[in-house]
Amino acid sequence: MTENAQQQPPAPSTDLPTQYAPADVEGPLYERWVERGYFEADEKSDKPPYTIVIPPPNVTGSLHLGHAFQHTLMDALTRRKRMQGYEALWLPGMDHAGIATQNKVEQQLAEEGKSRHDLGREEFVERVWQWKEEYGGRILGQMRRLGDGVDWSRERFTMDEGLSKAVLTIFKRLYEDELIYRAERIINWCPRCLTAISDIEVEYQEDAGELVSIRYGEGEDSLVVATTRAETMLGDTAVAVHPDDERYKHLIGRQIKLPLTDRTIPVVADAHVDPAFGTGAVKVTPAHDPNDFEIGRRHDLPSLTIMDEHGVITVHGPFIGLDRFEARSAVVGALKEQGRIVAEKRPYMHSVGHCSRCKTTVEPRLSMQWWVKVGPLAKAAGDAVRDGRVKIHPEDMSKRYFDWVDNMHDWCISRQLWWGHRIPIWYGPDGEVVCVGPDDEPPTGEGWTQDSDVLDTWFSSGLWPFSTLGWPEKTPELKKFYPTDVLLTGHDIIFFWVARMMMFGLYAMDGEAPFHTIALTGLVRDEFGKKMSKSNPNAVDPLVWMDAYGSDAVRFTLANGANPGADVPIGEDWVKASRNFTNKIWNATRFALMNGATIEGPLPDASEMSAADRWILSRLNTTVAQVDAYYDDYQFAKLADALYHFAWDEVFDWYVELSKTTFFAGGEPARVSGRVLGEVLDVMLRLLHPVIPFVTDALWTTLTGGESLVVGDWPTDSGFRDKAAEQEIELVQRVITEVRRFRKDQGLKDGQKVPARLELSGTALAPHEAAIRQLLRLQPEGDAFTATATLPVAGAEVALDLSGTIDVAAERKRLAKDLAAAEKEKAQANAKLGNEAFLAKAPDHVVDKIRTRLTKAEEDITRIQSQLERLPQA
């Protein structure tokens, strides 16, 4: 099953502490892995490549459960491939996070009573770099704590020299291909961050507003519009109605008076207007609404900007200088004084955009910005998935991807910030516009200035899969490790990042997509399924759990909840359970080592093995095959569950327990079982290693004397199966399980010994009598044995002498009371289900609940009657 099984390693040590202490093991072990270069990938290697680039966390960030979740899965994939013989590269790095990082430094300056303008652009940018060196990258140290097996020698930053060159290169190529242009359009503007933000950086939420109905015009030349943003009427340049709306046909083309102003505005006919919504007439403010902007373009309407970058009104005397929300109330008050409010303000819940960084209400604003023409790029990104070059997993997530790339609007890439990649455009004194690439000299002379904006953070991170490997240079790394194998990321950033990388990768790399597979995960939620948030008391720092329970426990909990594309609930009790699992692995391996488990020498022939030996090896190989299949299908929850039940249930609870009598007896059977147990532990620890690397490596090196599981071999399915042994052990399990259930029903304590006679002759159970007696605490029957309860099971018979162990009369009385209660419950449920009038009126869920009660009552009756039949006569 493994190469090591045929080698002669140094004699293993059994010197393991009695208890597993993660804090003593994890830190030193990780540093040893890094020092020995286990995670470093070699582009000169002739091994097949396997590449994952880490979704670069923000330089401002710290490890949260979402990071821990995705990093655990990526680490598991990479560790397995490394063990399978691939040249595995998991490439780390950080994103400069334009808005977030600039905000951090501006907050720091504010505490000093300064602003960035006090420093000037160059000095401010230098200050950000200083902040980055001092405070940025905390998350990198936290990744080490989690056990991330990344190649630290290749760590990248989106603003390092190489990546900056890549940004300038692709900008110039896109510009020369007329895929980047400058235009005045409506953008999402954040009055707090003072920059444009893209559609995908806007978070929408239902906010309480007030709908105001306003009369425009006079007499028969009047109409009513409704709005939640009354202040924007100061910038109206038309009212639009549907061309077929009979109510307003007489007004189309006419001018009407705009209240509070000295202007008249036209009534235009536009098919965009829904005549059935509201009054069927809408105000048109082209400079402050994206839909109105399009109406304005169709009808050559002027665009009047009425507020500045801070959201402060700049037009019409009485309102100049008011904040937009202050102006809203003031405008409504003024309209009311003129009798223009035709309906009282009424509450109105509507979807309002907020800046994803600072949560400020976003303001649509007409602005001159730089844009990427996404049409041909998005089509290529869609085609790559449709023709199978890139697989999306799970497949049903493809619809979300297509919904985005097939309907993508041009991308606003300019940001009014100082921290970031500055747009490489120079403007000349006579209107010249020059794009400067990385190898070009910028124009000099009087009147030449560089564009003051920087690029959207997602522009540089969209190049991540190839810029991190040295592009635009044709490096050996790029040749070896591009395209990457899998992008594992949350479904929530399909739009932010996945689509950007697809577009840029296909464009820059001659149609070669940046990854073969997009494996989408859900989001981590609390144990009740609620979204975790710093503003809620349910947010958890994973480092706190790592301190308390160990990194392996956190990793296993996260992997165990990772169903493709589905959200992952997690609670502290589940982490405790995973801690118990790691402790179980430690304690059971320690016991095994103390009782002869070894990998020395070849695996004995099956003819020398007991049925239990053959059974566990058969189950082992089945588990290897299952785990491989689950990995290949990104079914982390299923593979974690399979490993948990194999390790805890089959190896520790059954095989080790069944083999104790063999170990205690000694001799050749004990030697054979010791070698089988060593083999099972060797393979089991290898299978578990990618998910829980620390405890498995510590145990495996002790068991085998090997160097490290990080560079160990991944187990393969040897093909060994023994169905006869599996069936035989299943019979043993049935007997033990049934008798244990009976003991529990009779109130016997786990360690309480009971005299018993076992009739096993003629069955496959006969060789297992000693193990059955030991596991069930069954004593030999003795001379005074009286069979007071007999259990026929699995073709055998187990007779027990319960005299002196329980009060039979009291037990019969208790069971009779329980039986009467169950029969009463059954009668009541049957009465309701037999009542046609009740069934006709009762909701379906009520009827279903009663049916469930009936089923449970019937099961209880059967169980209690069986217990009564088995009890001795009083």
Side-chain angles (χ1 to χ4, degrees), residues 316-493:
H316 201 69
F319 309 109
I320 292 175
L322 294 180
D323 172 80
R324 54 187 167 153
F325 300 117
E326 295 172 336
R328 183 170 300 171
S329 297
V331 166
V332 171
L335 289 168
K336 189 174 290 186
E337 287 180 6
Q338 292 189 2
R340 293 284 178 177
I341 303 296
V342 299
E344 286 298 319
K345 296 186 294 181
R346 65 179 189 272
Y348 183 74
M349 295 298 295
H350 59 141
S351 182
V352 178
H354 295 75
C355 173
S356 62
R357 300 294 182 188
C358 69
K359 312 308 177 187
T360 300
T361 300
V362 167
E363 189 65 40
R365 186 169 191 252
L366 186 63
S367 181
M368 183 68 75
Q369 300 285 344
W370 285 95
W371 304 80
V372 171
K373 183 180 179 181
V374 300
L377 302 174
K379 182 181 184 303
D383 290 345
V385 174
R386 287 189 169 96
D387 64 23
R389 278 175 288 159
V390 178
K391 305 288 186 186
I392 292 181
H393 187 87
E395 191 175 352
D396 59 10
M397 284 283 179
S398 298
K399 183 180 184 302
R400 297 187 66 180
Y401 176 81
F402 291 131
D403 284 347
W404 180 250
V405 298
D406 293 347
N407 300 286
M408 195 182 297
H409 300 297
D410 283 2
W411 173 18
C412 177
I413 55 171
S414 46
R415 298 291 181 267
Q416 289 64 55
L417 304 171
W418 288 355
W419 171 246
H421 296 100
R422 195 163 175 181
I423 289 177
I425 295 289
W426 267 254
Y427 304 106
D430 298 318
E432 303 96 331
V433 179
V434 176
C435 182
V436 177
D439 301 320
D440 302 331
E441 288 295 327
T444 57
E446 187 176 348
W448 283 94
T449 58
Q450 185 178 359
D451 195 296
S452 61
D453 290 349
V454 301
L455 288 164
D456 177 11
T457 296
W458 298 101
F459 189 95
S460 52
S461 58
L463 313 180
W464 190 252
F466 51 95
S467 64
T468 52
L469 297 172
W471 187 90
E473 307 302 325
K474 294 182 178 179
T475 63
E477 292 87 349
L478 193 63
K479 182 178 180 181
K480 176 75 173 180
F481 296 114
Y482 187 92
T484 67
D485 286 87
V486 59
L487 171 73
L488 191 144
T489 190
H491 61 63
D492 57 321
I493 59 171

Side-chain angles (χ1 to χ4, degrees), residues 530-543:
K530 294 181 180 178
K531 182 178 179 180
M532 287 191 175
S533 169
K534 290 181 180 178
S535 60
N536 293 330
N538 65 350
V540 174
D541 181 351
L543 295 170

Side-chain angles (χ1 to χ4, degrees), residues 576-587:
K576 290 179 182 177
S578 295
R579 184 271 316 272
N580 295 343
F581 180 49
T582 60
N583 287 346
K584 182 76 170 180
I585 296 170
W586 182 274
N587 294 334

Side-chain angles (χ1 to χ4, degrees), residues 631-653:
Y631 262 116
D632 293 341
D633 198 34
Y634 304 98
Q635 297 279 0
F636 296 98
K638 289 184 178 179
L639 72 89
D641 186 66
L643 287 169
Y644 176 90
H645 288 293
F646 174 73
W648 194 306
D649 298 347
E650 297 186 302
V651 178
F652 303 144
D653 279 0

Side-chain angles (χ1 to χ4, degrees), residues 746-748 752-755 779 784 786 788 800-809 871-873:
Q746 304 310 315
L748 296 176
Q752 190 170 351
K753 295 182 178 180
V754 178
Q779 294 178 316
T786 302
T788 58
L800 304 173
D801 184 353
L802 301 180
S803 58
T805 60
I806 60 172
D807 185 335
V808 176
L871 275 177
Q873 295 300 316

